[in-house]
Structures are given as C-alpha cells and as structure tokens.
Amino acid sequence: MKKILNYLISILICFSGLSAPIHAATNDYPNSNYAKLTNDQKEILDHMKELDPTFDISGEYVQVEKKIGLISVQTFQTYGAISLSNMAIYISVSRINDPGKDTFKVSAVAEWLNVPTIRIQDGFEIAWAGNFAITSHNAVTCYKGVGVLSGKTSLMQSQPNTGLGYAVECSHYYGQALDWVRIDATISQLDSSGIANICATYSHATANLGISGVSISKTPSISFSFYGTSDSMSKITSVSY
C-alpha cells in the first residue's frame, strides 16, 4: 500500500507543475561553491556547461549573469544594437585561490539565438577596471552542424592591464553559422580591495570589409573599428575583491 501511495504522489508532483528546477549535481562542479548559488545562476552555469562540456567551472563563483531575451526562429539582419531576441551574452567570474593576490577567471559567452543574414568576420572582446593583469587567455567557437572548433579565432589586440579582443569567423564550411563563442581569461593583481567592472562586447560586421582593429579604454568599454558597418551587444557586471 505504501509503494502505491508513493507512486501516486510522484504522479501528482509531475503534473502539478510545482516541481523545483533540475540542476546539475554539485559534484559536477569540483572546488566551487555551486550549491550556494541562486537557481538563476545555476541555470546560467548549467547552460554554459551544456554548450561546451569541457567548460572549466572550478573556483569560487562571485558573479554569474546573463543578458538574454526571447527566442524566435528567423534569419535576420540588424542595424545598430543586436537585439535581445537574436543574441545572449553570459558572464561568469570565479575567484581562484592564489595567496597574496586577487585572481579571477572570467568567462564570457556570446550565443547566437538566430542566424544572422551576413556572416563574415566579427569580434568578441572583454575588458575590466582596476589593476588586473592578464595571466592567461583563450577563445573557442562552435558552429551549427559542425561543433566546437579551434583555429577560428585570432587575437587582435591585448592590453595586459585592460582587456583583449578576438576576431571571430561568423561562418564555417558550407556556410555553417557560428553558434557561440567563448573567451576565458585569468586576471590577477596584488591583494587589495575594491570593485571592478567587467565588460563583454560582441561586434557583428554588416559589411564585407573586415575588422581594422580594436581599442580598449579603462571605463571599461570596448570599441571595434570596422571599415564597414557593425552592430554590437554589451554586458557589464562587477565584482568585489
């Protein structure tokens, strides 16, 4: 009788719509404070991990945010700002145990929710305030119907205490569109206290004339210089140290 009762209760829970969101197991996130994050933050990290299972999620997370809108199925061409229905930007920041220093790993992901009409060379950049210096960085891309690939990004500019920008191929063989791009950067400074803004910006070229360069200021804000026109989306967050 008890087994039958438990079975009926489980059915009622399934149909009630009141069940809690399902997240990854805490042991899937070694050496992190995943269990202490909010459900929204867990959903962001779980999605980043779903996009790329090799995504390194170690460290104590101090900031996890996203900039996202509703998803619609369409091919589009934007003019000016990339709309929230066409792209999502995610930023996660984890503190790395590094005695005597403030060391953080910053991961920024730009994910296309719809396929852009024009697919040439774009740019993805991150920058930060404070006196943090880059100790390591890399970028990885994924294409629809192809998967994760290396060699489809190239470092355009790196200012050691300010930020860096990558050129990103927006399409691959046979016109396969870019699905997402991620930049990982480890930044560090001597132990101090304050608040640092961190900015991620995706620039989408709308004319087949290429990228001429990237300029990075300490606000932090990042601007790409295109020979032609470009659209962009930015996400800014901040961390205390």
Side-chain angles (χ1 to χ4, degrees):
M1 181 66 183
K2 186 177 179 180
K3 290 183 178 179
I4 296 175
L5 181 59
N6 289 336
Y7 175 71
L8 291 174
I9 290 173
S10 66
I11 292 177
L12 288 173
I13 291 175
C14 290
F15 283 95
S16 66
L18 299 177
S19 57
I22 299 174
H23 299 293
T26 302
N27 57 11
D28 290 338
Y29 295 78
N31 306 316
S32 76
N33 56 333
Y34 178 83
K36 297 181 180 179
L37 299 179
T38 67
N39 283 339
D40 286 343
Q41 290 175 321
K42 289 178 181 178
E43 287 178 4
I44 295 171
L45 285 180
D46 290 350
H47 183 65
M48 293 172 72
K49 185 73 171 177
E50 180 183 6
L51 290 176
D52 182 4
T54 65
F55 172 54
D56 179 10
I57 38 65
S58 61
E60 179 184 354
Y61 280 92
V62 293
Q63 193 60 271
V64 183
E65 292 188 9
K66 66 179 178 179
K67 183 172 186 176
I68 188 171
L70 298 176
I71 297 177
S72 59
V73 178
Q74 59 178 343
T75 298
F76 71 97
Q77 182 168 348
T78 60
Y79 297 95
I82 300 174
S83 74
L84 292 174
S85 63
N86 292 323
M87 174 168 281
I89 290 183
Y90 306 82
I91 299 178
S92 71
V93 185
S94 60
R95 187 179 186 110
I96 307 300
N97 185 21
D98 194 2
K101 295 183 178 181
D102 295 315
T103 301
F104 296 93
K105 179 187 176 184
V106 180
S107 295
V109 175
E111 180 186 13
W112 283 110
L113 305 179
N114 297 302
V115 177
T117 303
I118 299 174
R119 299 192 295 276
I120 42 180
Q121 189 181 67
D122 291 348
F124 194 33
E125 320 88 54
I126 58 173
W128 49 83
N131 295 313
F132 292 93
I134 303 169
T135 59
S136 66
H137 61 86
N138 71 284
V140 62
T141 54
C142 181
Y143 295 85
K144 299 181 185 299
V146 179
V148 177
L149 296 175
S150 60
K152 301 302 291 184
T153 62
S154 58
L155 182 65
M156 287 198 304
Q157 184 169 341
S158 175
Q159 297 183 9
N161 295 98
T162 306
L164 67 158
Y166 277 87
V168 182
E169 297 300 326
C170 198
S171 65
H172 191 52
Y173 302 125
Y174 309 110
Q176 295 290 337
L178 178 68
D179 193 359
W180 54 264
V181 55
R182 187 182 75 241
I183 294 177
D184 297 316
T186 302
I187 59 176
S188 185
Q189 67 175 11
L190 293 177
D191 191 18
S192 184
S193 61
I195 298 176
N197 290 328
I198 297 174
C199 176
T201 299
Y202 188 95
S203 298
H204 176 57
T206 57
N208 192 17
L209 296 173
I211 297 174
S212 62
V214 56
S215 61
I216 308 174
S217 62
K218 290 288 286 187
T219 21
S221 64
I222 307 174
S223 62
F224 260 62
S225 298
F226 284 84
Y227 290 116
T229 57
S230 65
D231 305 322
S232 64
M233 174 182 282
S234 295
K235 171 62 180 173
I236 298 177
T237 188
S238 62
V239 296
S240 299
Y241 55 89

